[in-house]
Amino acid sequence: MAQDNKSQDKEIQQHKNRFHDLAEKAFRQGIYTFTGFLGLHEQEIFWQEEPKLRYAGYSTEGGHEMAERVIVRFGDPGELGYEVSFPIVCVHIQPLARKFADELSHRDFLGALMNLGIERDVLGDIIAGEKEAYLFCLDTIAGFICENLQQVRHTHVKCAIVEAYAQIPQEEPEKLVIQVQSLRVDAVLAKVYNMSREKSLELFRGGKVYVNGRLCENNSQQLSTGETVNARGYGKFTLTGEMRETKKGKLSVETAVYR
C-alpha cells in the first residue's frame, strides 16, 4: 500500500511539473502551449495548481460541448495578440459492412485503439453509437489512426476525419425527473442511479464523484441548476429543470442523464 501511495504521489508531482513547465514556456516565450488530453483525475490536479498557473493565461477544450476529456492551452490571447486553435480533430469510425457489424461499445473502440500502441493522452472522448463512433484526438495522431485502425472486435472498419463538426450526432441524454429531500449531491446521485445512500458514499470515499469537472469530497455539497455530476463507472448527469416542492415537502427536479 505504501508503495502504491508513493507511486501515486510521484505521478501527481509529474503532472504538476508538466503544467508548470508548459505555463512558464508560454509566458516566457510568448507562445501557446498545450497539454495532452486530461481525464478527470488529471484535471483535478490541474485545478489544484490553477492559482499558481493563471499568470500564464489558460483555456480548456475537448472538441464538443459536454467533453469529459479536455486539453489545457496555456497562453493569453489578449497578451499574445493572436489566436491558435486547439490541435483537436474528430475521426469517424464506421464498419465496412454495417449489416454484418457487431454492436460495439465505448470499451471496444478504446481497446482497439490501445492495441495499436497509442498513448491515452492523445485520445479525447469517444462518442460511441450502436456500430460506429466519433473519436476526438490530437491532430498529430489522426492520420495514424485512419491508416492503421482496421478492426474493432470482429468488425472491419474504416476511418475518416470529420471536416464539419455539424455532422457529429449529439449525445441525447435521458430526461429524468426525480424527487429528493434536498439537493445534496449524494442524495441526488443516489436517486438518479437508483442506489443506496451507502453505495453513493462509497463513490465519494473512492474519489469517483466530480462536480463540474472538480473532485467532490463533500457528499453534502448542494447542487445548483446547470451543474454536472460525473460518477465514475456510472455516467454523468446535469440538473436542468426548475425545482418545485411537492405536496409531501420533497423537491422535484429534472435531470439530463448521460449513460
Side-chain angles (χ1 to χ4, degrees):
M1 182 64 72
Q3 186 63 39
D4 290 342
N5 290 337
K6 188 175 181 179
S7 297
Q8 187 177 49
D9 290 343
K10 182 179 179 181
E11 178 189 354
I12 291 172
Q13 190 58 52
Q14 288 175 338
H15 283 298
K16 289 181 178 181
N17 292 342
R18 178 62 173 160
F19 294 144
H20 283 283
D21 289 345
L22 290 171
E24 186 67 11
K25 183 177 180 180
F27 183 75
R28 295 296 182 189
Q29 298 185 21
I31 60 174
Y32 289 103
T33 59
F34 300 88
T35 67
F37 281 99
L38 306 176
L40 291 171
H41 173 64
E42 292 86 3
Q43 290 174 50
E44 178 59 23
I45 299 171
F46 168 78
W47 288 116
Q48 290 174 5
E49 291 296 292
E50 188 271 341
K52 303 175 186 177
L53 299 168
R54 64 179 63 160
Y55 72 92
Y58 68 86
S59 55
T60 63
E61 178 61 59
H64 66 109
E65 184 178 358
M66 293 295 292
E68 179 176 311
R69 296 177 60 79
V70 301
I71 288 174
V72 177
R73 181 187 71 179
F74 292 102
D76 185 343
E79 293 290 333
L80 296 177
Y82 70 100
E83 190 87 30
V84 171
S85 300
F86 282 78
I88 301 173
V89 298
C90 183
V91 175
H92 185 199
I93 308 169
Q94 56 184 321
L96 290 178
R98 180 173 290 270
K99 181 178 179 181
F100 303 106
D102 296 322
E103 298 294 331
L104 301 172
S105 67
H106 178 282
R107 179 175 294 182
D108 294 326
F109 287 105
L110 180 59
L113 291 161
M114 294 292 96
N115 286 338
L116 294 178
I118 297 173
E119 296 294 332
R120 190 69 176 98
D121 66 351
V122 304
L123 303 176
D125 285 2
I126 301 172
I127 302 177
E130 294 180 352
K131 299 181 179 182
E132 64 180 2
Y134 289 86
L135 162 70
F136 292 89
C137 64
L138 292 184
D139 54 10
T140 52
I141 199 68
F144 176 84
I145 291 172
C146 289
E147 291 176 10
N148 292 279
L149 184 61
Q150 299 178 348
Q151 189 168 332
V152 179
R153 281 181 56 192
H154 305 296
T155 299
H156 292 281
V157 299
K158 59 181 178 180
C159 303
I161 294 176
V162 177
E163 298 297 338
Y165 277 24
Q167 301 173 15
I168 303 172
Q170 299 300 309
E171 187 177 2
E172 290 296 330
E174 172 191 349
K175 299 297 183 181
L176 180 66
V177 177
I178 61 172
Q179 293 183 0
V180 289
Q181 293 288 354
S182 73
L183 291 181
R184 285 173 50 128
V185 61
D186 56 356
V188 177
L189 187 151
K191 195 70 173 181
V192 167
Y193 295 114
N194 193 29
M195 66 175 65
S196 67
R197 181 173 181 274
E198 181 59 32
K199 181 65 176 178
S200 73
L201 290 178
E202 288 179 10
L203 296 178
F204 287 93
R205 296 189 194 108
K208 296 182 178 181
V209 180
Y210 294 78
V211 177
N212 289 342
R214 299 294 308 273
L215 179 66
C216 180
E217 297 178 297
N218 178 13
N219 61 286
S220 63
Q221 177 178 324
Q222 295 288 311
L223 294 177
S224 300
T225 300
E227 290 192 311
T228 296
V229 177
N230 188 299
R232 299 285 293 274
Y234 289 86
K236 60 186 175 184
F237 65 88
T238 302
L239 289 189
T240 56
E242 293 296 327
M243 290 164 283
R244 64 179 182 82
E245 188 171 338
T246 68
K247 292 180 180 179
K248 295 184 178 181
K250 290 187 176 182
L251 292 175
S252 178
V253 63
E254 183 180 276
T255 62
V257 184
Y258 298 83
R259 300 295 181 180

